Amino acid sequence: MYYPISALLIECLILSILDGKESYGYEISQTIKMVSQIKESTLYPILRKLENSGYVTTYVREYQGRKRKYYIITELGREQLVFLKTEWQSYRDMIDGIIEGRIRN
Amino acid sequence: MKQELNRAEYLSQLDKYLKRLPEPDYENAMEYFTEYFEEAGEKRAIEELGTPKEAAEDILNNLLGRNPETEDELENDTVNETENVLDKPRKALPLIYLLFLCLAAASLLAASLSLLWMGGRYLVYGIMAFSNSLPGACVMAGMGVFEIGGGFLVFAGVTTLGCRILSRRAQMGGKLIIRGRNKK
């Protein structure tokens, strides 16, 4: 994608992915990479931050003889997601409005 | 160019660079990237991450909330000493090494003290011998002064070096604690 994505929007995307269903690092990262050229070294700290803020928790499950860490959204994370979504919607509406010529100052 | 790294080599180098993180953060990061290597495959993972040093720099900068690519500051932390954290790799002094250093310092200190003692004695002998033989007395006194000087030099060298090493280690510990605290 041409436009860069801010770390805050990526937080919103991760929480949205997890809101539907728990997921593991690689799956999350592959979804994010559909819209951003983000590197794993940038993505990991965002996931870690979400974990430290209490928005997600993790547990480890065996998969084909090795460990896989799964991420689950918490109640706090859901509240944060509501906030992030409304922020995104008003941002998107404003951008759309300007692009389509409906909004000008 | 060291482009021929395999998975184990890559991860062990990354491990070395990430060791400067507080313990739980370091373990968490290593688990994540080990898992990523397993999922994505060695070749793809390395292609994306770049050299272990670049990857570690990215990870550290992002964890500390200083990413030039994403304009929003994740956290406004006040850590300002980490501009180029990777340029001076952290040395983990093993206990044996530390013990050896202490022993070396102690024996050097003992040597400097005995130099001072011997020097003092020669000086006194020299002065006492003035009535017997002037040249002999001068040689004795000269040797005494020389040894006293040497003793002082060794003593000063050992103590200043020791203080510097100790204070650097103390600083390093302090920084890590500060960084750990800011993470919350």
Short mmCIF file of all heavy atoms in Angstrom, two decimals, chain B residues 111-147:
data_model
loop_
_atom_site.label_atom_id
_atom_site.label_comp_id
_atom_site.label_asym_id
_atom_site.label_seq_id
_atom_site.Cartn_x
_atom_site.Cartn_y
_atom_site.Cartn_z
N ALA B 111 52.10 -4.68 45.78
CA ALA B 111 53.40 -4.37 45.19
C ALA B 111 53.73 -2.89 45.37
O ALA B 111 54.87 -2.52 45.71
CB ALA B 111 53.39 -4.72 43.71
N SER B 112 52.73 -2.03 45.17
CA SER B 112 53.01 -0.59 45.29
C SER B 112 53.35 -0.24 46.73
O SER B 112 54.24 0.58 47.00
CB SER B 112 51.82 0.22 44.79
OG SER B 112 50.75 0.14 45.68
N LEU B 113 52.66 -0.88 47.68
CA LEU B 113 52.96 -0.60 49.08
C LEU B 113 54.38 -1.02 49.44
O LEU B 113 55.11 -0.29 50.13
CB LEU B 113 51.95 -1.32 49.99
CG LEU B 113 50.56 -0.70 50.00
CD1 LEU B 113 49.62 -1.47 50.92
CD2 LEU B 113 50.63 0.77 50.44
N SER B 114 54.77 -2.22 48.93
CA SER B 114 56.12 -2.67 49.28
C SER B 114 57.17 -1.80 48.61
O SER B 114 58.24 -1.56 49.17
CB SER B 114 56.30 -4.14 48.92
OG SER B 114 56.26 -4.31 47.53
N LEU B 115 56.85 -1.29 47.41
CA LEU B 115 57.77 -0.35 46.75
C LEU B 115 57.96 0.90 47.63
O LEU B 115 59.08 1.38 47.83
CB LEU B 115 57.21 0.07 45.39
CG LEU B 115 57.65 -0.74 44.18
CD1 LEU B 115 56.94 -0.25 42.92
CD2 LEU B 115 59.16 -0.65 43.99
N LEU B 116 56.83 1.41 48.12
CA LEU B 116 56.89 2.60 48.97
C LEU B 116 57.75 2.32 50.21
O LEU B 116 58.60 3.13 50.60
CB LEU B 116 55.48 3.01 49.39
CG LEU B 116 54.64 3.71 48.34
CD1 LEU B 116 53.22 3.92 48.82
CD2 LEU B 116 55.27 5.06 47.97
N TRP B 117 57.51 1.17 50.82
CA TRP B 117 58.23 0.79 52.04
C TRP B 117 59.73 0.68 51.78
O TRP B 117 60.56 1.28 52.47
CB TRP B 117 57.66 -0.54 52.54
CG TRP B 117 58.39 -1.19 53.67
CD1 TRP B 117 59.01 -2.40 53.64
CD2 TRP B 117 58.58 -0.67 54.98
NE1 TRP B 117 59.58 -2.67 54.84
CE2 TRP B 117 59.33 -1.62 55.70
CE3 TRP B 117 58.22 0.51 55.61
CZ2 TRP B 117 59.70 -1.43 57.02
CZ3 TRP B 117 58.59 0.71 56.93
CH2 TRP B 117 59.31 -0.26 57.63
N MET B 118 60.09 -0.05 50.71
CA MET B 118 61.50 -0.22 50.36
C MET B 118 62.14 1.12 50.04
O MET B 118 63.27 1.42 50.48
CB MET B 118 61.64 -1.14 49.14
CG MET B 118 61.30 -2.58 49.37
SD MET B 118 62.42 -3.34 50.54
CE MET B 118 63.89 -3.40 49.51
N GLY B 119 61.39 1.91 49.27
CA GLY B 119 61.91 3.23 48.89
C GLY B 119 62.23 4.07 50.11
O GLY B 119 63.29 4.69 50.22
N GLY B 120 61.29 4.04 51.08
CA GLY B 120 61.48 4.81 52.31
C GLY B 120 62.74 4.36 53.04
O GLY B 120 63.55 5.18 53.48
N ARG B 121 62.93 3.02 53.10
CA ARG B 121 64.09 2.50 53.81
C ARG B 121 65.39 2.90 53.13
O ARG B 121 66.35 3.34 53.79
CB ARG B 121 64.00 0.98 53.90
CG ARG B 121 63.07 0.54 55.01
CD ARG B 121 62.89 -0.94 55.03
NE ARG B 121 64.16 -1.64 55.11
CZ ARG B 121 64.29 -2.90 55.54
NH1 ARG B 121 63.21 -3.54 55.92
NH2 ARG B 121 65.45 -3.47 55.57
N TYR B 122 65.41 2.76 51.81
CA TYR B 122 66.63 3.16 51.08
C TYR B 122 66.96 4.62 51.30
O TYR B 122 68.13 5.00 51.48
CB TYR B 122 66.47 2.90 49.57
CG TYR B 122 66.90 1.51 49.18
CD1 TYR B 122 66.02 0.62 48.60
CD2 TYR B 122 68.23 1.12 49.36
CE1 TYR B 122 66.42 -0.66 48.24
CE2 TYR B 122 68.64 -0.15 49.02
CZ TYR B 122 67.73 -1.04 48.46
OH TYR B 122 68.14 -2.29 48.11
N LEU B 123 65.90 5.43 51.29
CA LEU B 123 66.11 6.87 51.49
C LEU B 123 66.75 7.12 52.84
O LEU B 123 67.74 7.86 52.96
CB LEU B 123 64.76 7.59 51.37
CG LEU B 123 64.81 9.11 51.29
CD1 LEU B 123 65.66 9.55 50.09
CD2 LEU B 123 63.41 9.69 51.16
N VAL B 124 66.21 6.46 53.88
CA VAL B 124 66.75 6.66 55.22
C VAL B 124 68.20 6.15 55.29
O VAL B 124 69.09 6.85 55.80
CB VAL B 124 65.87 5.92 56.25
CG1 VAL B 124 66.52 5.96 57.64
CG2 VAL B 124 64.50 6.58 56.31
N TYR B 125 68.44 4.93 54.74
CA TYR B 125 69.81 4.40 54.74
C TYR B 125 70.76 5.37 54.04
O TYR B 125 71.87 5.62 54.50
CB TYR B 125 69.88 3.05 54.01
CG TYR B 125 69.22 1.92 54.76
CD1 TYR B 125 68.75 0.81 54.08
CD2 TYR B 125 69.08 1.97 56.15
CE1 TYR B 125 68.13 -0.23 54.75
CE2 TYR B 125 68.47 0.94 56.83
CZ TYR B 125 68.00 -0.16 56.13
OH TYR B 125 67.39 -1.16 56.79
N GLY B 126 70.29 5.87 52.90
CA GLY B 126 71.12 6.79 52.13
C GLY B 126 71.52 7.99 52.96
O GLY B 126 72.69 8.38 53.02
N ILE B 127 70.55 8.57 53.65
CA ILE B 127 70.82 9.77 54.44
C ILE B 127 71.78 9.44 55.57
O ILE B 127 72.73 10.19 55.86
CB ILE B 127 69.49 10.35 55.00
CG1 ILE B 127 68.67 10.93 53.83
CG2 ILE B 127 69.77 11.44 56.02
CD1 ILE B 127 67.26 11.27 54.19
N MET B 128 71.56 8.24 56.17
CA MET B 128 72.43 7.86 57.28
C MET B 128 73.86 7.60 56.81
O MET B 128 74.82 7.75 57.56
CB MET B 128 71.88 6.61 57.97
CG MET B 128 70.62 6.92 58.72
SD MET B 128 70.18 5.71 59.98
CE MET B 128 70.45 4.17 59.18
N ALA B 129 74.01 7.20 55.52
CA ALA B 129 75.34 6.84 55.02
C ALA B 129 76.14 8.05 54.54
O ALA B 129 77.24 7.91 54.05
CB ALA B 129 75.21 5.83 53.87
N PHE B 130 75.55 9.24 54.64
CA PHE B 130 76.24 10.44 54.13
C PHE B 130 77.65 10.60 54.70
O PHE B 130 78.59 10.96 54.00
CB PHE B 130 75.41 11.70 54.44
CG PHE B 130 74.65 12.18 53.26
CD1 PHE B 130 73.27 12.06 53.19
CD2 PHE B 130 75.33 12.75 52.17
CE1 PHE B 130 72.58 12.49 52.09
CE2 PHE B 130 74.62 13.19 51.07
CZ PHE B 130 73.24 13.06 51.03
N SER B 131 77.81 10.31 56.02
CA SER B 131 79.10 10.51 56.66
C SER B 131 80.14 9.51 56.14
O SER B 131 81.32 9.79 56.07
CB SER B 131 78.95 10.42 58.17
OG SER B 131 78.30 9.20 58.47
N ASN B 132 79.70 8.29 55.74
CA ASN B 132 80.63 7.27 55.27
C ASN B 132 81.11 7.53 53.85
O ASN B 132 82.30 7.57 53.59
CB ASN B 132 79.97 5.89 55.29
CG ASN B 132 79.60 5.49 56.71
OD1 ASN B 132 80.13 6.08 57.67
ND2 ASN B 132 78.71 4.54 56.85
N SER B 133 80.13 7.66 52.93
CA SER B 133 80.53 7.83 51.52
C SER B 133 79.48 8.65 50.79
O SER B 133 78.32 8.25 50.72
CB SER B 133 80.70 6.46 50.86
OG SER B 133 80.30 6.49 49.52
N LEU B 134 79.88 9.78 50.29
CA LEU B 134 78.91 10.67 49.63
C LEU B 134 78.29 10.03 48.39
O LEU B 134 77.07 10.00 48.26
CB LEU B 134 79.59 12.01 49.30
CG LEU B 134 78.61 13.10 48.85
CD1 LEU B 134 77.57 13.39 49.93
CD2 LEU B 134 79.37 14.36 48.47
N PRO B 135 79.12 9.46 47.47
CA PRO B 135 78.50 8.85 46.27
C PRO B 135 77.57 7.70 46.63
O PRO B 135 76.46 7.57 46.10
CB PRO B 135 79.70 8.32 45.47
CG PRO B 135 80.87 9.03 46.01
CD PRO B 135 80.58 9.36 47.43
N GLY B 136 78.01 6.84 47.57
CA GLY B 136 77.17 5.72 48.00
C GLY B 136 75.85 6.22 48.55
O GLY B 136 74.79 5.69 48.22
N ALA B 137 75.93 7.23 49.38
CA ALA B 137 74.71 7.79 49.97
C ALA B 137 73.78 8.30 48.89
O ALA B 137 72.56 8.09 48.92
CB ALA B 137 75.09 8.91 50.93
N CYS B 138 74.34 8.98 47.89
CA CYS B 138 73.51 9.53 46.80
C CYS B 138 72.82 8.41 46.05
O CYS B 138 71.62 8.51 45.73
CB CYS B 138 74.38 10.35 45.83
SG CYS B 138 74.80 11.95 46.51
N VAL B 139 73.59 7.32 45.76
CA VAL B 139 72.98 6.20 45.04
C VAL B 139 71.82 5.62 45.83
O VAL B 139 70.73 5.40 45.32
CB VAL B 139 74.04 5.11 44.75
CG1 VAL B 139 73.36 3.84 44.26
CG2 VAL B 139 75.05 5.60 43.72
N MET B 140 72.06 5.39 47.13
CA MET B 140 71.02 4.82 47.98
C MET B 140 69.79 5.72 48.03
O MET B 140 68.65 5.27 47.83
CB MET B 140 71.57 4.65 49.41
CG MET B 140 72.64 3.61 49.53
SD MET B 140 71.90 2.00 49.74
CE MET B 140 72.07 1.83 51.50
N ALA B 141 70.01 7.00 48.32
CA ALA B 141 68.89 7.94 48.45
C ALA B 141 68.14 8.03 47.12
O ALA B 141 66.91 8.05 47.07
CB ALA B 141 69.39 9.31 48.87
N GLY B 142 68.92 8.05 46.00
CA GLY B 142 68.29 8.14 44.66
C GLY B 142 67.39 6.94 44.40
O GLY B 142 66.25 7.09 43.97
N MET B 143 67.90 5.74 44.72
CA MET B 143 67.09 4.53 44.54
C MET B 143 65.82 4.62 45.37
O MET B 143 64.72 4.26 44.92
CB MET B 143 67.89 3.29 44.95
CG MET B 143 68.68 2.67 43.81
SD MET B 143 69.84 1.44 44.43
CE MET B 143 68.72 0.19 45.02
N GLY B 144 65.98 5.13 46.59
CA GLY B 144 64.81 5.26 47.48
C GLY B 144 63.75 6.14 46.85
O GLY B 144 62.58 5.77 46.77
N VAL B 145 64.17 7.32 46.39
CA VAL B 145 63.21 8.26 45.79
C VAL B 145 62.54 7.63 44.56
O VAL B 145 61.32 7.73 44.37
CB VAL B 145 63.93 9.57 45.40
CG1 VAL B 145 63.01 10.46 44.60
CG2 VAL B 145 64.40 10.30 46.65
N PHE B 146 63.36 6.93 43.76
CA PHE B 146 62.84 6.29 42.55
C PHE B 146 61.75 5.28 42.90
O PHE B 146 60.67 5.25 42.30
CB PHE B 146 64.00 5.58 41.83
CG PHE B 146 63.61 4.90 40.57
CD1 PHE B 146 63.37 5.63 39.42
CD2 PHE B 146 63.49 3.52 40.53
CE1 PHE B 146 63.00 4.99 38.25
CE2 PHE B 146 63.13 2.88 39.37
CZ PHE B 146 62.87 3.61 38.22
N GLU B 147 62.00 4.47 43.92
CA GLU B 147 61.02 3.44 44.30
C GLU B 147 59.75 4.07 44.87
O GLU B 147 58.64 3.60 44.60
CB GLU B 147 61.63 2.47 45.30
CG GLU B 147 62.60 1.51 44.63
CD GLU B 147 63.12 0.46 45.60
OE1 GLU B 147 62.28 -0.24 46.20
OE2 GLU B 147 64.34 0.37 45.77
#
